[in-house]
Structure formats: C-alpha cells, structure tokens
Amino acid sequence: MNVQFKKGVLELCVLVLTAKQDRYGYELVASISEKFHISEGTVYPLLRRLTQEGFFTTYLAESQEGPPRKYYQLTNRGRQYMNDLVLEWRIFNRGVNEIIEEGLGYDKA
Amino acid sequence: MTRREFMDELNALLSALPDKERLDILADYTEHFLLGMKQGKTEYEIAEGLGSPKLVARELLAGYRIDQAQSNASVGNMTRAIVATISLGFFNLVFVLGPFLGLVGILMGLYAMTAALLVAPVGIFLDYGIPAPSQERLFLLFSSMVSVGLGGMFAIGLLRLTKWLYRQFLRYLQFNVKMIRGK
C-alpha cells in the first residue's frame, strides 16, 4: 500500500479513535496495527504534529500497572477537523468503490 | 534491534533538537517499549514494529525546523527549514529550491536599486565638482533630495516586503511538508 496515502489515512484513524474517549499512544498504535500494517514509530510524530496544530491536548496519568501514560484528548478544533476528514474520506471512498465496481463488474466481489 | 539500540540511535538523530523537546520525544518511545513489554512482547519485536529510527527522526525534524524558522526569523533558520523539507524528497528540490532562489534573486535586485538611489547624490556632486557652480546648486540639491527620498521609501518598503515574503515562504514550506506527508 502506498506510503503517502497511508499517512493521510493514519491521521484520520488517530482522530476518530480519540473521538469518544482519551487514548494513550500505545493504545492508538495497537488499535491501528490490528487492522492494517503500519510503521508504528511514525504514529508518535503524527500525534506530536496534531498536538502542535492544536487538535489534541495531552496529560499524563498514573496507571495501576506500569509507567504513567500520556493521554491524548481531542480539542474542539480537533473534532471539527476530524469531521471534515471523515466527510472527505466518505466521498473519496464511495468514488473509488464505484470505479472499481464499474471497472470490474458487479459479478466479482 | 534492542530497546537500548533503538533509543540510542533515535537520540543521536535528534541531537539538533532542544533538550526539552528531544527528551519528551524519547519519553514517548520509552513508554511504548515499557507497555509493549508488559504485554509480553520482546524488545526486539517492539523495535521491529516501530520501524527505523531514521524514518521517525526525519518526520520529526522537518516539522520542527519549520516551527523554529517561524518563531524566530533568520536566514540560517530558513535555510535549515528548506534543507529539512528538501530531505523529504527529490520532488521538493524542484518545488522549494527553485522558487526560493528566484525570490532571493528578485530581492537582491531591488536592494541593489535602492542602494543606488541612496548613494546617487554622491555621484552627482562628484560629477559637478565641489563646490558646485552656483547656477547648478538648486538643481543638485533637489535632485539629491528626490533620489535619497525615493531610496528611503524603497528601503522601508523592501524591508517590509522581505519580512512578508519570509512568512509566506514558510507557509509554503508547511504546505509542502503536508503534501509530502500525503495529506
């Protein structure tokens, strides 16, 4: 899968994963890795950039087990940005699927 | 790669960053290793999953250089931001360096013209000799005033233009990094 394309999708994924609850980095990496292959190390620079752009705020929280964790919380701006990206993705996704179906016919799954 | 090796290499690659920033980044990866090990993964497996420290560092540095050039304007910072952006891909060599060198050329031309206007009176006086013949004095005085006045106005305008272009170019770099990152 194309690297650049994946980066854009990755951004969408981390934003959506934090929409309902705050998440810590490892959790985000694990959730995404479950679904498709990524270079996990690049998620952290992405989180940093999104934080710098004001889409996330972070805080440290102690946990029952293991080290304290850095949690990422979606800001209002971040939520707005996420909604834009989701909309964009849906239009894009539908378009690509239609092209595939028209190109390969409906008989193939 | 062990945890130690991964962290050492990343640390070395990020040496250009301020300590606070660098340690903050390293803490993220340390946390990642510790949590992975709690899950029963080996250091080797975790490092494998993270991928190359070089890739990680490249992403971090490009973003950081542009932030830095924004927060304190200087030729050196701008240069570093450009180099970092170019390092993201060959494509940028054409789309960053080209416009930048073009702009610098135009600016240098304008500065040269301004300098010429400011020093023109010296040339005028030399031409007529000092003291100048009396019937020429008024003409000399006025032409000098016009020349220096114009030069001064150009100089003020140019400084503003330079600052504005600096900011615009940084925005262009940012846009560029986003494009390369595939947004």
Side-chain angles (χ1 to χ4, degrees):
Chain A
M1 198 163 155
N2 175 309
V3 178
Q4 299 308 340
F5 178 74
K6 223 187 250 189
K7 276 182 189 166
V9 174
L10 206 53
E11 188 167 292
L12 176 62
C13 291
V14 296
L15 289 162
V16 170
L17 283 167
T18 51
K20 287 216 165 69
Q21 51 170 310
D22 305 352
R23 308 264 188 184
Y24 55 97
Y26 189 87
E27 194 180 9
L28 287 168
V29 172
S31 309
I32 296 168
S33 286
E34 244 172 57
K35 308 281 185 190
F36 54 89
H37 176 78
I38 47 163
S39 292
E40 296 175 356
T42 57
V43 176
Y44 291 96
L46 174 70
L47 289 169
R48 259 195 121 60
R49 188 163 54 83
L50 291 171
T51 306
Q52 275 166 355
E53 290 179 16
F55 300 139
F56 283 130
T57 50
T58 62
Y59 59 90
L60 271 182
E62 297 291 332
S63 74
Q64 302 295 338
E65 42 195 54
R69 296 161 183 179
K70 189 199 260 185
Y71 279 87
Y72 294 84
Q73 185 176 44
L74 203 58
T75 61
N76 289 335
R77 268 191 65 202
R79 196 168 292 276
Q80 181 61 54
Y81 181 57
M82 177 197 79
N83 289 332
D84 293 348
L85 282 185
V86 169
L87 185 64
E88 236 176 273
W89 167 259
R90 290 202 162 128
I91 294 166
F92 173 79
N93 195 23
R94 195 179 57 211
V96 173
N97 282 333
E98 280 170 8
I99 287 174
I100 291 172
E101 287 191 347
E102 285 160 17
L104 299 179
Y106 296 90
D107 53 341
K108 290 180 188 161
Chain B
M1 208 180 235
T2 65
R3 171 179 157 196
R4 179 84 263 161
E5 283 167 338
F6 182 94
M7 296 304 288
D8 284 349
E9 186 173 340
L10 187 59
N11 188 24
L13 288 164
L14 298 178
S15 59
L17 297 183
D19 286 352
K20 187 177 166 296
E21 179 110 2
R22 188 171 45 87
L23 293 172
D24 198 32
I25 291 167
L26 292 175
D28 287 348
Y29 289 97
T30 303
E31 187 184 303
H32 184 91
F33 269 102
L34 290 173
L35 288 166
M37 280 145 73
K38 278 210 84 65
Q39 302 272 318
K41 290 186 177 169
T42 66
E43 287 186 9
Y44 181 82
E45 282 170 337
I46 299 166
E48 186 79 3
L50 283 171
S52 139
K54 285 191 189 66
L55 183 69
V56 171
R58 212 164 46 185
E59 300 264 327
L60 288 161
L61 285 172
Y64 170 76
R65 294 294 192 202
I66 293 173
D67 288 346
Q68 208 187 22
Q70 263 178 322
S71 57
N72 62 69
S74 82
V75 174
N77 281 339
M78 181 57 124
T79 312
R80 279 192 287 273
I82 289 172
V83 170
T85 314
I86 288 172
S87 76
L88 283 170
F90 174 76
F91 162 89
N92 272 355
L93 198 63
V94 180
F95 283 85
V96 171
L97 210 56
F100 180 72
L101 292 177
L103 279 174
V104 168
I106 292 168
L107 276 177
M108 282 176 67
L110 288 169
Y111 272 106
M113 186 184 77
T114 306
L117 280 171
L118 287 170
V119 300
V122 177
I124 296 173
F125 280 107
L126 285 179
D127 208 29
Y128 283 92
I130 303 170
S134 59
Q135 72 277 20
E136 302 287 6
R137 274 186 198 156
L138 269 185
F139 163 73
L140 284 181
L141 184 68
F142 281 118
S143 58
S144 306
M145 276 165 64
V146 168
S147 176
V148 172
L150 273 177
M153 282 195 298
F154 274 123
I156 291 166
L158 257 183
L159 285 174
R160 284 195 181 163
L161 178 70
T162 309
K163 279 185 184 148
W164 181 79
L165 279 174
Y166 185 94
R167 282 199 307 272
Q168 293 307 311
F169 201 79
L170 275 176
R171 285 178 54 190
Y172 175 67
L173 279 182
Q174 267 172 319
F175 155 79
N176 217 296
V177 168
K178 278 183 185 163
M179 283 255 306
I180 293 291
R181 281 177 172 150
K183 267 171 69 162

